[in-house]
């Protein structure tokens, strides 16, 4: 039985994030928000990039309070900050999205999932 998704993202953040995922501006990487060896972002890393975080600031596999604080210091748009904050608070959702990403689901597939369920 699949887990119920509790987090709902604002329409404006979802649009920004899914547009970025579909844009081909980002190369898809695995295991980390930004994988230096692969020169690619995880789908969660793309969300962090919307908050103005540089590749060198993306160290872990999940979005933490650290990334949210850095996005606030970057004076990121409110919808991006609220979206990152919502993701930061839902480790189950982050783990699900990271798992899809790391198992080879494309950014387009993940964007469609976000559109439909979040």
């Amino acid at each position: 039985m699949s887990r119920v998704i509790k987090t709902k993202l604002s329409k404006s953040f979802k649009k920004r994030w899914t547009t970025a995922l579909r844009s081909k501006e980002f190369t898809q990487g695995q295991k980390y928000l930004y994988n230096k060896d692969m020169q690619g972002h995880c789908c969660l890393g793309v969300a962090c990039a919307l908050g103005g975080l540089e590749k060198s600031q993306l160290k872990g596999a999940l979005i933490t309070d650290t990334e949210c604080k850095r996005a606030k210091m970057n004076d990121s748009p409110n919808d991006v900050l609220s979206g990152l904050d919502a993701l930061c608070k839902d480790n189950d959702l982050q783990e699900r999205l990271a798992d899809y990403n790391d198992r080879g689901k494309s950014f387009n597939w993940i964007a469609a999932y976000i559109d439909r369920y979040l």
Side-chain angles (χ1 to χ4, degrees):
M1 181 184 236
S2 65
R3 295 171 289 194
V4 175
I5 298 172
K6 297 175 187 173
T7 299
K8 292 293 181 188
L9 301 173
S10 71
K11 288 181 183 180
S12 58
F13 177 70
K14 281 189 348 183
K15 181 154 179 66
R16 283 181 194 261
W17 192 13
T18 58
T19 297
L21 288 169
R22 291 178 174 123
S23 72
K24 302 195 188 309
E25 177 183 340
F26 295 92
T27 300
Q28 191 168 3
Q30 297 174 328
K31 305 289 183 197
Y32 300 100
L33 296 173
Y34 179 76
N35 188 319
K36 186 177 177 181
D37 294 334
M38 298 178 89
Q39 297 290 302
H41 289 79
C42 167
C43 60
L44 298 170
V46 173
C48 290
L50 294 175
L53 279 76
E54 299 294 327
K55 295 172 186 175
S56 62
Q57 295 175 306
L58 303 176
K59 304 287 184 192
L62 300 177
I63 300 169
T64 66
D65 287 335
T66 302
E67 284 80 24
C68 290
K69 287 175 186 173
R70 287 180 177 152
K72 287 177 185 170
M73 290 189 301
N74 290 341
D75 201 27
S76 299
N78 286 338
D79 65 328
V80 172
L81 293 176
S82 66
L84 288 173
D85 190 50
L87 288 170
C88 184
K89 291 177 181 174
D90 192 339
N91 279 346
D92 287 342
L93 175 59
Q94 285 195 70
E95 288 173 6
R96 181 181 291 190
L97 292 173
D99 184 56
Y100 290 149
N101 187 89
D102 293 349
R103 288 180 175 224
K105 298 291 187 187
S106 70
F107 276 170
N108 283 332
W109 188 95
I110 294 168
Y113 180 89
I114 291 166
D115 282 336
R116 183 169 183 180
Y117 295 108
L118 304 182

